Amino acid sequence: MKTLLVTGGAGFIGSHVVRKMVLDHPEFHIINLDQLTYAGNLENLTDIQDAPNYRFIRGNIVDGTFLEKLFQEEEIHGVIHLAAESHVDRSIADPMSFINTNIVGTVNLLNACRNAWKDFEGKLFYHISTDEVYGSLGSSGLFTEDTAYDPRSPYSASKASSDHLVRAYHHTYGMPIVISNCSNNYGPNQFPEKLIPLAINNILQMKPIPIYGKGENVRDWLYVEDHATAIELIFRKGSNGRTYNIGGLNEWQNIDLIRLLCKIMDEKLERESGTSEGLITYVKDRAGHDLRYAIDSTRIAEELDWKPSLNFEEGLARTVTWYLENQEWMQRITSGVYQSYYDQQYRDR
Ligand code: NAD
Ligand code: DAU
C-alpha cells in the first residue's frame, strides 16, 4: 500500500482533499499532517476519522527535525502540500509567521522528501498555491500559467517564494513536482475570518458586515469540492514539472457578492427582505488591496478535462445551508482567542 502525506488536512481545503483521497483511493494510506493552528479543526473530518486507510499526525512543518524523523519512520510516496498560513489580513499584521510556515515549512518538506527519496521513481511533491502570486489585474485580462509573478502582500509573497523553491528543487535535483494556483474558494469548513463565512456569521448575529474600501474589488470564486476534484485529478494525471491554474469562471465584485448573500440569508432565515443588506458597513480598505484576480483555466480544461461543476447561486445556497446547520461549530471556533483577534481587527478599521 502506498502512503500519501497530506499537509494542512484539518484546514478548509485540506479537509475536503483528505476526505476525497480517503474515500476515492482505498489503495492509498493517507496521513494527514497538521499542526492544528487556529485554522485547523479535526471536527472537519469526523466522518472519515475511523477509515482504515486514514491517520492523523499532529506536527509542525517548521520543525525540520520532526519532518526528517517522520519520513524515516513512514515510507511516503507522495505529498500534497496544503499547510500554510492563508489569511491576507493576518499576513499584513504578522508577516513572520507566514515566512516561517509558508517558506521555511515548504523547504523543510522538500528537504525531507529529497533526503528520504533516494530515487524519485513513482514519487510526487504536489504544491498547492494561489492565484495571488500573479499580482493584481485591471478591469480586463486573465492570469495564465505564464503570467509573471508579482506578489503584493506578505501572504502572496510567501506563497510565490514557496512556488519558486518547489520549481527550484525540480530543476536542480530532479524532484518530480506539480503546482496548482487556484482562485478564491468558498464552501463548508472555511474559517469565518474569510469574506463569505465572516459575512454569514455576522448576518446571523445581526452584526455589521465589513466591506473594505468601496467593495469594488473582484475575486473569482470556486466551490471548494470542485477544487478538491481538480487536485485529485492533477495528483493522478498532472505532468511532471507542470503548473495548472484552477479557477471558477465566476468573477464577482465584493459588494455584489455580499448583496446576493444577503438575499439568500434573508430568505433562509425568513427575515424581511433587505434586513441583511442593512448590515453592510464600508470600512477602511485593506492595505495594498489587490483590485482583481481572474484565472484562465484553459490548460486544466483541455489537458485534464476539468471544469467547475456548480454555479455560484447553487454553491452559495449550499454553503449558507451548511453554516446554518453547523452553528455550534462556528460558535466554538469563533470564541475565545479568535474573537478577541477579530474584535481588535474590526476596532482598528
Ligand atoms: P486554512 O488556513 O483553512 O488551513 C491551513 C491548515 O494548515 C490548517 O489546518 C492549519 O492547522 C495547518 N497549518 C498551518 N500552519 C502549519 C504548520 N506550521 N505545520 C502544520 N500545519 C499547519 O487554509 P486553506 O484556505 O484551506 O488553504 C490551504 C492551502 O490552499 C494553502 O496553501 C493556501 O495558500 C492555498 N489556497 C487557498 C485558497 C483559498 O481560497 N482558501 C485558494 C488558493 C490556494
Ligand atoms: O485568491 C486566492 C486567495 O483567496 C487565497 O490564496 C487566500 O488564502 C484566501 O484567503 C483568499 O484571499 P482573499 O484576500 O481574496 O480572501 P478574503 O476572503 O480575505 O477576501 C475576499 C475579498 O473580500 C477581498 O477583496 C477582501 C474583501 N474583504 C474581506 C474580508 C475578510 C472585505 O471586504 N471584508 C472582509 O471582512
Side-chain angles (χ1 to χ4, degrees), residues 16 47 134 150 164 189 263 283 327 330 347 349:
H16 293 275
D47 55 326
Y134 298 122
D150 181 23
H164 288 319
N189 299 353
K263 187 168 157 283
V283 298
Q327 291 185 45
M330 192 133 73
R347 264 199 303 274
R349 287 184 184 276

Side-chain angles (χ1 to χ4, degrees), residues 31-272:
I31 297 178
N32 172 12
L33 170 66
D34 197 298
Q35 172 65 6
L36 300 182
T37 66
Y38 79 96
N41 187 349
L42 288 177
E43 274 185 68
N44 296 342
L45 291 164
T46 40
D47 55 326
I48 54 109
Q49 68 188 6
D50 297 323
N53 63 335
Y54 171 72
R55 186 148 59 100
F56 172 71
I57 295 178
R58 186 170 190 181
N60 191 341
I61 58 168
V62 179
D63 183 348
T65 312
F66 159 77
L67 284 180
E68 293 294 338
K69 195 158 163 278
L70 176 69
F71 274 74
Q72 277 161 18
E73 286 166 3
E74 309 285 340
E75 196 189 350
I76 290 164
H77 299 87
V79 175
I80 304 183
H81 176 37
L82 296 113
E85 288 292 339
S86 68
H87 191 44
V88 174
D89 292 326
R90 284 181 189 259
S91 83
I92 294 167
D94 170 26
M96 196 49 87
S97 56
F98 287 68
I99 305 306
N100 287 331
T101 294
N102 299 359
I103 306 177
V104 177
T106 300
V107 177
N108 283 339
L109 258 182
L110 288 164
N111 284 339
C113 292
R114 187 172 160 238
N115 292 336
W117 293 347
K118 296 296 167 228
D119 114 45
F120 288 136
E121 186 60 39
K123 308 292 196 303
L124 181 66
F125 188 98
Y126 179 3
H127 180 61
I128 306 299
S129 193
T130 169
D131 60 356
E132 299 197 12
V133 298
Y134 298 122
S136 180
L137 291 164
S139 55
S140 62
L142 299 171
F143 297 134
T144 72
E145 288 84 356
D146 296 324
T147 301
Y149 274 33
D150 181 23
R152 293 146 49 96
S153 73
Y155 164 70
S156 54
S158 69
K159 292 296 291 186
S161 175
S162 62
D163 292 11
H164 288 319
L165 284 156
V166 172
R167 286 195 189 96
Y169 273 60
H170 175 67
H171 290 291
T172 309
Y173 307 114
M175 185 179 289
I177 63 113
V178 277
I179 299 180
S180 55
N181 297 79
C182 187
S183 62
N184 286 58
N185 284 216
Y186 71 100
N189 299 353
Q190 187 168 33
F191 195 88
E193 63 185 351
K194 309 278 166 64
L195 180 65
I196 290 178
L198 174 87
I200 294 174
N201 195 21
N202 287 14
I203 291 169
L204 262 172
Q205 297 180 54
M206 290 297 289
K207 283 184 174 175
I209 309 167
I211 300 291
Y212 299 167
K214 294 182 181 156
E216 289 170 350
N217 304 67
V218 174
R219 298 291 183 265
D220 169 15
W221 294 92
L222 177 68
Y223 193 68
V224 63
E225 286 180 8
D226 278 333
H227 188 192
T229 303
I231 289 174
E232 192 270 343
L233 199 57
I234 292 170
F235 176 74
R236 272 192 301 119
K237 295 191 171 166
S239 299
N240 183 12
R242 203 145 174 80
T243 294
Y244 298 88
N245 280 355
I246 308 171
L249 305 168
N250 180 40
E251 289 182 49
W252 285 80
Q253 278 200 341
N254 293 337
I255 188 64
D256 295 335
L257 183 162
I258 290 299
R259 288 202 178 110
L260 172 63
L261 180 66
C262 287
K263 187 168 157 283
I264 295 174
M265 290 288 286
D266 282 348
E267 282 164 14
K268 296 238 187 222
L269 295 171
E270 297 180 2
R271 288 181 180 165
E272 195 184 327

Side-chain angles (χ1 to χ4, degrees), residues 8-20 41 44-45 48 188-189:
F12 166 47
I13 301 170
S15 59
H16 293 275
V17 171
V18 164
R19 177 175 299 102
K20 185 157 187 59
N41 187 349
N44 296 342
L45 291 164
I48 54 109
N189 299 353

